[in-house]
């Protein structure tokens, strides 16, 4: 399961840096553009691309899996996601005007509906006699939980949106809270939500329970909860939809904390509360590639009026500052997920890694992704794709449980 420590650790150069082997990233895992194996696999799923509140009458640039797109909301409330360059002569629809029926290019006024259909060509004789044949490249969108989701894959393979057992029913007084401010310690309400490293570094980190004991609990002090100071006993396993771990910790009072964390293929997590408070995970997170070297995260949680705004903001602060306000020295003194992951590089040099026993969850995630993208290459449907609108919801058991 785990690769043995590589011989580079025992090199005959006595481990000196001179002449060391240069490791490269694993392109199969890192590349997300159209036509790449991972890119085609990821394109079989709906992905959040923006907060619903970001889709307005002002065109907005979004970049997803290496593709630049324009997001808008037309006067009828429909969200649209179009290829930026107008099919006429390539002017960007970023400078377009959003109208009731769609978006109008600023150059010659061609008007496109959210599904790319061209409704008007005002400079053409008779308003464009052949405009029915014109189609601005587009992707379908839908909204859920306060997020705009897009499907960027083959039209005949468009799946249903997955459902999750802990999410869809709201109790009295509950609502959804959404967040797009970057990951863990990088969450920063003053900074753009672009995390400068590959999406997988962030996603696989969810299956790395040991870093919680070091990075977040003992290296520079308690970042999340004192309950995580003790080293856990961890069991990982595959599920029908991804990977799960149970991390057990003995408590001073003789009891036990069982922390269950899970990821769902291809890029979704249900992380239990990091303050270690009891109960089921509050929501879901998506790790969405911007391109091969950066990503963004979308979180949705069920909150009440009392808990709204608390889930992420507390986490974001160190010394009363947001991440972007920390000095270099402060970032060295109490590094968080941002420092740990971004300093791996915008892509890790996998060939230089020395995976150990505690990395089992990371290996499992990578192995499952590779198996799934291979399925897509062979013409099969990957795990997590369903075409049945009545399909059973994915069971989520993530949470902190005390006994
Ligand atoms: S370039 Fe868009 S209408 Fe001419
Ligand atoms: Fe972390």
């Amino acid at each position: 399961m785990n690769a043995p420590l590589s011989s580079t650790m025992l090199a005959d150069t006595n481990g000196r840096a001179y002449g060391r082997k240069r490791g490269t990233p694993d392109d199969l895992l890192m590349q997300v553009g159209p036509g790449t194996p991972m890119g085609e696999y990821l394109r079989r799923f709906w992905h959040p691309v923006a907060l619903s509140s970001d889709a307005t009458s002002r065109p907005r640039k979004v970049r997803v899996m290496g593709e630049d797109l324009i997001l808008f909301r037309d006067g009828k409330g429909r969200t649209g996601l179009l290829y930026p360059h107008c099919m006429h002569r390539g002017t960007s629809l970023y400078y377009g005007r959003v109208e009731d029926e769609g978006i109008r290019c600023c150059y010659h006024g061609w008007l496109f509906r959210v599904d790319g259909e061209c409704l008007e060509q005002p400079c053409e004789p008779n308003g464009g006699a052949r405009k029915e044949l014109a189609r601005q490249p587009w992707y379908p969108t839908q909204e859920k939980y306060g997020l705009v989701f897009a499907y960027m894959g083959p039209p005949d393979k468009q799946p249903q949106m997955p459902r999750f057992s802990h999410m869809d029913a709201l109790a009295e007084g509950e609502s959804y809270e959404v967040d797009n401010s970057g990951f863990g310690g990088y969450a920063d309400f003053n900074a753009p939500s672009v995390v400068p490293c590959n999406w997988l570094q962030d996603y696989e980190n969810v299956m790395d329970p040991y870093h919680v004991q070091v990075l977040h609990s003992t290296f520079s002090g308690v970042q999340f909860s004192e309950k995580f100071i003790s080293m856990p006993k961890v069991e990982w396993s595959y599920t029908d939809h991804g990977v799960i771990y149970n991390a057990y910790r003995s408590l001073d009072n003789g009891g036990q904390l069982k922390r269950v964390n899970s990821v769902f293929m291809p890029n979704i997590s249900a992380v239990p509360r990091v303050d270690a408070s009891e109960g089921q995970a509050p929501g879901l997170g998506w790790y969405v590639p911007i391109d091969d070297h950066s990503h963004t995260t979308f979180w949705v949680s069920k909150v009440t009026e009392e808990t709204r705004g608390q889930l992420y903001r507390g986490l974001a602060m160190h010394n009363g500052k947001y991440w972007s306000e920390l000095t270099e020295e402060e970032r060295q003194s109490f590094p968080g997920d941002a420092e740990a992951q971004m300093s791996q590089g915008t892509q890790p040099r996998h060939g230089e890694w020395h995976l150990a026993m505690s990395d089992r969850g990371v290996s499992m995630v990578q192995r499952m992704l590779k198996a799934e993208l291979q399925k897509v290459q062979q013409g099969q449907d990957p795990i997590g794709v369903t075409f049945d609108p009545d399909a059973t919801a994915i069971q989520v058991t993530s949470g902190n449980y005390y006994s």
Side-chain angles (χ1 to χ4, degrees), residues 13 24 39 109 116 126 165 227 233 267 300 337 364:
T13 54
T24 51
N126 304 318
S165 61
K227 304 251 173 43
K233 283 200 173 58
N267 62 341
V300 55
D337 284 310
M364 289 170 78

Side-chain angles (χ1 to χ4, degrees), residues 86-91 93 105-110 112:
C86 174
M87 62 170 298
H88 178 218
R89 275 170 47 205
T91 290
L93 296 174
C105 178
C106 68
Y107 206 0
H108 314 94
W110 289 22
F112 300 107

Side-chain angles (χ1 to χ4, degrees), residues 168-231:
D168 288 6
L170 287 172
E172 179 82 22
E174 277 184 338
S175 56
Y176 295 118
E177 179 175 39
V178 288
D179 177 82
N180 177 217
S181 60
F183 65 82
Y186 188 72
D188 189 329
F189 298 88
N190 298 323
S193 54
V194 176
V195 183
C197 68
N198 185 276
W199 70 280
L200 186 54
Q201 286 154 266
D202 204 353
Y203 181 56
E204 69 196 11
N205 169 71
V206 180
M207 282 298 105
D208 177 3
Y210 286 105
H211 90 278
V212 177
Q213 196 276 344
V214 181
L215 180 71
H216 297 306
S217 306
T218 53
F219 186 81
S220 62
V222 172
Q223 296 178 355
F224 293 165
S225 164
E226 292 187 349
K227 304 251 173 43
F228 300 140
I229 288 176
S230 63
M231 197 60 86

Side-chain angles (χ1 to χ4, degrees), residues 42-63:
L42 291 173
R43 279 169 176 74
R44 295 293 305 277
F45 299 86
W46 289 91
H47 296 285
V49 298
L51 306 181
S52 283
S53 55
D54 287 335
T56 68
S57 59
R58 181 176 171 197
R60 181 185 177 92
K61 293 177 185 174
V62 297
R63 185 165 163 79

Side-chain angles (χ1 to χ4, degrees), residues 59 70 82-84 86 91-96 103-105 112 136:
I70 297 295
L82 302 183
Y83 176 65
C86 174
T91 290
S92 176
L93 296 174
Y94 180 66
Y95 299 103
I103 187 168
R104 189 182 296 277
C105 178
F112 300 107
Q136 180 67 17

